Amino acid sequence: MQQIRNTEFSGERSLFASHDLQLHNVIIHAGESALKESRNIMALDCRFEGKYPFWHVDGFVIKNCLFTESSRAALWYSQNLEMIDTRVEAPKMFREMDGIKLENVQLTNAQETFWYCRNIELNNVQIDHADYLFMHSKNIKIENYIQNGNYSFQYCRNVEIRNAVINSKDAFWNTENVTVYDSEINGEYLGWHSVNLRLVNCRISGVQPLCYAHNLVMENCTMADDCNLAFEYSSVQATINSPVYSVKNPRTGSIIAESYGEIIFDENMKAPADCELKLWDERTCFSA
């Protein structure tokens, strides 16, 4: 493998169509498409300042590097990436990619990131300023994760998340086959129009959660006291180890909780309109 060390590049396509190349302590200054159309690239202790350095790249490792804010849209249309111990300060990263592994990575300005990607694995990743994250992506596994940003995971398919704190308005809209374990999800309008959303040992907060959901499952979860008007028009099987402060017109299924505050069953219920609200002591059952 060819090595380039302690060097700086600028301008357009400075390392275009490279292959079997290791960069060590290299700076990519302003310019575009430094490593476009490359393959088998390793970048160690590098700094990326120019736009679009890793477009149409097949097989690359990025370790202990920095992507500055000016390197926006750095990784698109590529495959087989491993990124380790790296800081990403630029938005609009990771688009139309297949095969992404991130470990010990910080994304500090992750607006519109991870769009239309496939086969993603994240471990020990923190993502901030991350509105519209993971749009239309699929086959995602995430563990030890912190996220701050709204409208996340919309239209995603086949997602597994463990040990996460997700602060996001409108998370998991129109998703299919998502399971979240041992996590905290904070933000209004959680999981609307989802199919097969499963929450296990999770804490939920935010107004009007989990409405219009199909085949929603909650196991051993808790709900904060701001979770009002929950489960409207949803089919749900839920075991909740806390009070449920407000429920409105669930469509079908069963909810077991410590207690209930406001319960709304009104003339706007939708068939089959047979959801049962039960208490853990099984002595009381509320239904439409």
Side-chain angles (χ1 to χ4, degrees):
M1 178 177 278
Q2 180 188 0
Q3 293 189 11
I4 298 176
R5 290 176 171 267
N6 307 321
T7 305
E8 301 181 18
F9 294 93
S10 60
E12 306 298 308
R13 300 191 176 195
S14 52
L15 295 166
F16 182 82
S18 296
H19 60 87
D20 304 314
L21 176 64
Q22 183 181 109
L23 305 176
H24 194 173
N25 194 29
V26 169
I27 301 176
I28 303 296
H29 290 297
E32 296 184 3
S33 306
L35 288 146
K36 187 177 180 181
E37 293 287 352
S38 294
R39 69 179 187 275
N40 193 20
I41 304 297
M42 180 175 288
L44 306 174
D45 305 310
C46 295
R47 178 183 177 96
F48 297 93
E49 300 173 355
K51 295 179 181 178
Y52 327 136
F54 291 100
W55 281 38
H56 301 280
V57 175
D58 184 4
F60 53 126
V61 176
I62 297 171
K63 186 173 182 180
N64 197 31
C65 292
L66 171 65
F67 290 81
T68 68
E69 187 174 359
S70 59
S71 68
R72 60 196 297 117
L75 305 100
W76 288 26
Y77 307 109
S78 296
Q79 57 188 357
N80 302 318
L81 163 68
E82 185 174 359
M83 180 181 284
I84 307 163
D85 300 330
T86 290
R87 181 178 176 89
V88 180
E89 298 175 351
K92 299 187 177 181
M93 308 291 271
F94 311 107
R95 299 277 190 95
E96 299 277 4
M97 292 183 61
D98 188 356
I100 302 170
K101 293 184 179 180
L102 270 59
E103 186 169 0
N104 301 330
V105 173
Q106 288 184 307
L107 294 95
T108 62
N109 185 22
Q111 300 282 338
E112 302 177 22
T113 289
F114 289 114
W115 283 17
Y116 294 95
C117 291
R118 302 167 300 284
N119 303 312
I120 303 167
E121 295 182 22
L122 307 184
N123 185 23
N124 195 27
V125 171
Q126 180 166 340
I127 301 182
D128 294 301
H129 302 289
D131 286 358
Y132 299 103
L133 188 69
F134 291 105
M135 291 281 286
H136 293 279
S137 290
K138 63 183 179 181
N139 305 334
I140 303 169
K141 289 188 176 181
I142 296 174
E143 190 165 2
N144 304 322
Y145 175 74
I146 299 174
Q147 175 198 309
N148 296 294
N150 296 320
Y151 321 112
S152 59
F153 297 96
Q154 294 191 0
Y155 301 98
C156 284
R157 302 290 183 268
N158 307 327
V159 180
E160 181 181 296
I161 299 173
R162 296 178 182 270
N163 301 313
V165 177
I166 297 173
N167 300 308
S168 175
K169 175 182 176 180
D170 292 1
F172 302 111
W173 275 54
N174 296 98
T175 56
E176 185 173 347
N177 302 331
V178 172
T179 302
V180 184
Y181 298 93
D182 304 311
S183 297
E184 180 179 327
I185 308 173
N186 305 308
E188 55 198 38
Y189 314 126
L190 169 67
W192 284 39
H193 302 284
S194 59
V195 177
N196 300 332
L197 175 59
R198 182 178 173 223
L199 306 174
V200 182
N201 300 329
C202 290
R203 182 187 183 277
I204 308 301
S205 69
V207 303
Q208 296 185 48
L210 304 166
C211 300
Y212 293 91
H214 178 70
N215 196 26
L216 169 66
V217 175
M218 300 176 69
E219 301 174 23
N220 195 35
C221 292
T222 60
M223 301 182 74
D225 58 8
D226 63 348
C227 291
N228 68 324
L229 305 176
F231 306 115
E232 186 174 21
Y233 300 140
S234 291
S235 59
V236 54
Q237 295 291 333
T239 56
I240 300 171
N241 292 328
S242 71
V244 176
Y245 290 89
S246 177
V247 179
K248 183 177 181 180
N249 290 343
R251 189 172 61 83
T252 191
S254 173
I255 301 169
I256 304 174
E258 287 184 355
S259 62
Y260 297 91
E262 178 184 45
I263 298 174
I264 301 172
F265 290 134
D266 64 22
E267 69 278 6
N268 297 311
M269 291 190 73
K270 293 185 178 182
D274 60 359
C275 186
E276 293 186 335
L277 308 186
K278 301 177 181 179
L279 299 176
W280 278 109
D281 62 14
E282 298 184 351
R283 289 176 294 184
T284 307
C285 179
F286 307 93
S287 58

